[in-house]
Amino acid sequence: MERLALLGGLYSNYRALAVALDGASRRGVDGIYCLGDLGAFGPYPDRVFPMLQRAGVQTIQGNYDNSLALGLPDCQCGYTDPRDNYFARLSYDYTFRNTSEENKAWLGTLPATLRLEIGGVRLLLAHGSPRKMNEFLWESTSPDPFLNYLLDEAQADVLCVTHTGIKWHRALAGNRHVVNVGVLGRPENDGTTRVWYTLLTFSGSSVAVEFMPVFYDHLALSDDMQAERLPPEFIETIITGWWTTCLEILPHKERARGRF
Amino acid sequence: MKHPRIEMAHLDNLWFQVTGTLCNLACTHCFNSSGPDVKTFGHLSIEQVRHELEEGARRGVREVFFTGGEPFLHTAIAEMLEASLEFAATTVLTNGTLINDRMSDRLAEIEHRSRYSLEIRVSLDSFDERTNDAIRGVGVFKRVMATLARLSRRGLLPLVTVVRTWSDAEEQEILPGFTRILREAGYQHPRIKILPALPLGRELVRLPGAHDEPWVTEEMMHDFDADLLMCSNSRIVTDRGVWVCPLLVEKPDARLGDHLADAASGYELAHRACYSCYQYGTFCSNISAGIEGTGTLATHAEHGEA
């Protein structure tokens, strides 16, 4: 049996990351992987880097990381709504200013995807999708035939992604799985303050997927964000668990579950 | 002039021009000149739709779109949406004038039962009744607002689509204006999507000479992600065959085959409307691909080994 912990977007939430790393290590996982987007949204972007490096977390690049490493003018988040883009810009500019050159260079060394083979099961880790770093794989717009196509193209049995901010798991015929591992950066628009990471357990050819809630000091994070003068809309999400920005990208089902 | 040729990468978006060019309205900017007597294209049958849905599923389709004309003129539209949602996330593009309480109940029931999203895209062109009705027809504004309230009461969140017919200077006031009137109508968290006016169909009559979009050239394709173009990720089924994308249904050279199965060939960007797609990405989808800043995005980059 082999067990992996998969961390989605961190969005600079170093407080939730600390709790998740501690939880994963207590569960005796065989490896910890981060699927990218270390920065965005949250405070003090440099803080998550040494934590990942100390814990030996293998990290792949998200669109935010790609933008920071290349010095691009925006986060390539894939938003199209003017209000969403306004907040994305605030967040990116803050993160860009507050990420050290050394850390930006490190982001540039990360691979875009990572392949593992565990007991004959082929696992592919990507940020958005295997074909595009900033593609959103939402549960309600990722039908089975499409997911099977992605797995065929990627020559994988299990695909794990993040990028959307909301976790889900689809078990497909032939012992195949697609998992959106969720994010540690902000709550998933369900009115609670917890965030999530994912455990994958491989035994023989079977794969078990378990979503792990992370309860952390979200009020301390909100104090950090206030001290850094981050937008009140971002802080509200941390405190209430409801998304207030970047909503227009949500498909109908995911949008209907939220408050805004 | 040699135009860039785009190969199909994957069928992400399968469109059905389900009522052809038949519509109960005749909007002044309609890109395929649909209207009450326009029979350039006709209705699709439920059998044709089912057949192509199955073909789409075999090819890993991601999202299905029903357009026209006006899709709710088709007596089997609800049945088609239900069939489509068995395969993929589904969107219907409507002018919103034909959705009564009974149809709203049916749509809500279909949406709640499905595990994939049903998007109802309702067109509206101004938050001012007179301006909207000058484009879309007398009385349309009130009927659409009633439909939006009806859908919203049933927990459906229609995506209000607006064709940009205003100047850049007016842009700042436009979105808040829409949000305000939609809230007043009882739609608390309105979803709004702005679409570009297209240099096609009746729009060219409305604003002759205003659309001097260039053609897409080979040079423009350098460092450009061709996957963002509809011809690389979409096809549209009509009663007269399968066309490369929803925009070009009136262009004979854009017809690629009789059926979806034989319409996967590449396509040359031979029309001015291709430039709109180049500018805005796959904007006919619900969520347009963002193009600015994506030119250097690392796709299919090196794979690290664990």
Side-chain angles (χ1 to χ4, degrees):
Chain A
M1 194 182 84
E2 191 161 346
R3 180 174 278 181
L4 306 181
L6 303 176
L7 319 179
L10 306 180
Y11 310 160
S12 302
N13 189 343
Y14 67 98
R15 293 179 182 275
L17 176 62
V19 177
L21 288 174
D22 184 48
S25 114
R26 275 188 290 107
R27 281 178 178 79
V29 297
D30 300 292
I32 308 178
Y33 295 84
C34 174
L35 273 51
D37 276 3
L38 276 52
F41 199 75
Y44 312 121
D46 273 341
R47 292 194 184 177
V48 297
F49 289 81
M51 296 168 72
L52 291 174
Q53 289 154 357
R54 266 201 307 271
V57 177
Q58 291 204 50
T59 303
I60 63 172
Q61 221 179 43
N63 50 288
Y64 234 88
D65 313 314
N66 182 264
S67 286
L68 290 170
L70 296 174
L72 299 187
D74 72 40
C75 67
Q76 310 174 89
C77 291
Y79 303 134
T80 53
D81 176 74
R83 184 174 179 273
D84 286 354
N85 278 324
Y86 167 77
F87 283 106
R89 156 80 45 201
L90 288 181
S91 168
Y92 183 70
D93 290 350
Y94 168 83
T95 308
F96 195 90
R97 277 199 313 276
N98 291 283
T99 303
S100 73
E101 289 309 314
E102 190 190 345
N103 285 334
K104 283 178 190 158
W106 184 74
L107 291 172
T109 67
L110 302 176
T113 58
L114 197 58
R115 279 178 188 282
L116 303 165
E117 194 163 326
I118 298 167
V121 178
R122 299 164 306 165
L123 171 64
L124 178 65
L125 310 181
H127 179 74
S129 84
R131 60 183 190 172
K132 203 147 281 187
M133 194 183 272
N134 65 353
E135 182 171 25
F136 293 95
L137 294 188
W138 303 102
E139 183 172 24
S140 83
T141 54
S142 299
D144 293 355
F146 173 68
L147 294 178
N148 274 314
Y149 157 77
L150 289 183
L151 289 168
D152 289 344
E153 286 288 298
Q155 301 187 334
D157 306 304
V158 179
L159 167 66
C160 295
V161 298
T162 177
H163 189 55
T164 65
I166 303 180
K167 66 182 183 329
W168 54 271
H169 167 215
R170 186 87 47 80
L172 298 160
N175 212 11
R176 295 174 131 194
H177 299 264
V178 178
V179 185
N180 190 312
V181 303
V183 295
L184 287 171
R186 65 170 181 172
E188 59 172 17
N189 201 23
D190 63 353
T192 76
T193 57
R194 70 199 158 174
V195 294
W196 299 84
Y197 71 98
T198 298
L199 287 180
L200 287 190
T201 308
F202 298 80
S203 42
S205 62
S206 86
V207 182
V209 178
E210 205 178 345
F211 294 118
M212 307 303 294
V214 172
F215 300 91
Y216 70 102
D217 192 344
H218 64 283
L219 294 176
L221 187 78
S222 107
D223 290 344
D224 292 342
M225 290 167 80
Q226 263 165 17
E228 285 296 278
R229 299 206 178 97
L230 285 161
E233 287 83 355
F234 292 0
I235 297 169
E236 186 183 337
T237 296
I238 293 298
I239 292 173
T240 64
W242 297 113
W243 292 3
T244 54
T245 60
C246 308
L247 285 161
E248 301 311 324
I249 207 76
L250 289 170
H252 185 272
K253 274 201 190 290
E254 284 80 358
R255 181 73 181 261
R257 284 187 211 123
R259 175 183 285 176
F260 300 109
Chain B
M1 182 182 196
K2 192 175 179 316
H3 303 290
R5 184 181 166 87
I6 306 299
E7 296 303 327
M8 191 170 193
H10 176 249
L11 181 72
D12 276 17
N13 306 307
L14 171 57
W15 288 73
F16 290 102
Q17 202 185 21
V18 69
T19 49
T21 39
L22 288 161
C23 186
N24 56 321
L25 307 181
C27 305
T28 58
H29 57 39
C30 185
F31 75 91
N32 66 16
S33 310
S34 289
D37 304 313
V38 183
K39 292 177 182 156
T40 323
F41 292 88
H43 281 210
L44 287 170
S45 69
I46 180 106
E47 291 74 25
Q48 283 172 297
V49 169
R50 275 189 202 284
H51 174 79
E52 298 293 33
L53 280 171
E54 282 163 16
E55 175 62 22
R58 275 193 289 276
R59 293 168 56 177
V61 69
R62 180 172 197 181
E63 294 198 50
V64 178
F65 298 80
F66 288 84
T67 188
E70 168 49 46
F72 285 91
L73 283 173
H74 202 300
T75 51
I77 186 66
E79 204 182 329
M80 288 173 174
L81 295 175
E82 200 167 16
S84 174
L85 282 163
E86 287 169 25
F87 295 99
T90 299
T91 297
V92 59
L93 286 71
T94 173
N95 63 35
T97 59
L98 302 174
I99 303 177
N100 57 17
D101 278 317
R102 211 168 123 236
M103 181 55 84
S104 302
D105 285 342
R106 182 96 169 87
L107 291 172
E109 181 199 324
I110 291 171
E111 200 284 333
H112 294 320
R113 259 210 318 263
S114 168
R115 61 180 173 145
Y116 303 133
S117 273
L118 169 64
E119 297 284 2
I120 303 166
R121 261 164 61 172
V122 180
S123 307
L124 193 67
D125 283 318
S126 175
F127 54 87
D128 173 64
E129 181 172 354
R130 276 171 54 195
T131 312
N132 180 77
D133 288 1
I135 298 170
R136 307 190 69 82
V138 176
V140 169
F141 184 85
K142 284 201 171 71
R143 286 158 75 189
V144 170
M145 298 310 279
T147 293
L148 293 172
R150 223 174 257 135
L151 294 171
S152 161
R153 273 201 302 277
R154 288 162 174 84
L156 297 169
L157 305 172
L159 195 56
V160 177
T161 51
V162 184
V163 173
R164 184 182 277 125
T165 52
W166 53 82
S167 68
D168 288 350
E170 296 166 287
E171 180 94 12
Q172 292 291 333
E173 298 162 31
I174 298 291
L175 266 182
F178 275 101
T179 306
R180 178 175 46 80
I181 58 123
L182 291 168
R183 286 200 176 127
E184 282 168 11
Y187 185 11
Q188 270 318 299
H189 301 295
R191 301 164 75 209
I192 301 164
K193 176 182 168 68
I194 296 172
L195 296 165
L198 296 165
L200 288 165
R202 216 175 277 130
E203 170 69 3
L204 294 176
V205 182
R206 186 181 78 96
L207 289 177
H211 290 284
D212 53 354
E213 279 83 355
W215 277 277
V216 181
T217 62
E218 295 276 3
E219 295 73 53
M220 288 160 70
M221 295 307 295
H222 292 310
D223 289 331
F224 182 84
D225 182 357
D227 290 354
L228 296 171
L229 299 171
M230 274 184 282
C231 41
S232 98
N233 61 39
S234 307
R235 289 294 181 264
I236 181 163
V237 176
T238 77
D239 73 325
R240 302 194 181 175
V242 177
W243 259 254
V244 66
C245 79
L247 298 187
L248 300 180
V249 285
E250 289 193 301
K251 309 290 182 190
D253 74 299
R255 185 186 186 280
L256 299 184
D258 294 334
H259 302 285
L260 194 55
D262 48 44
S265 58
Y267 183 72
E268 283 183 14
L269 304 178
H271 299 281
R272 285 182 186 272
C274 298
Y275 183 74
S276 304
C277 198
Y278 178 88
Q279 251 186 316
Y280 301 107
T282 304
F283 61 86
C284 297
S285 302
N286 298 320
I287 296 158
S288 313
I291 289 193
E292 282 176 54
T294 58
T296 50
L297 183 63
T299 55
H300 305 284
E302 76 276 24
H303 289 182
E305 294 300 326

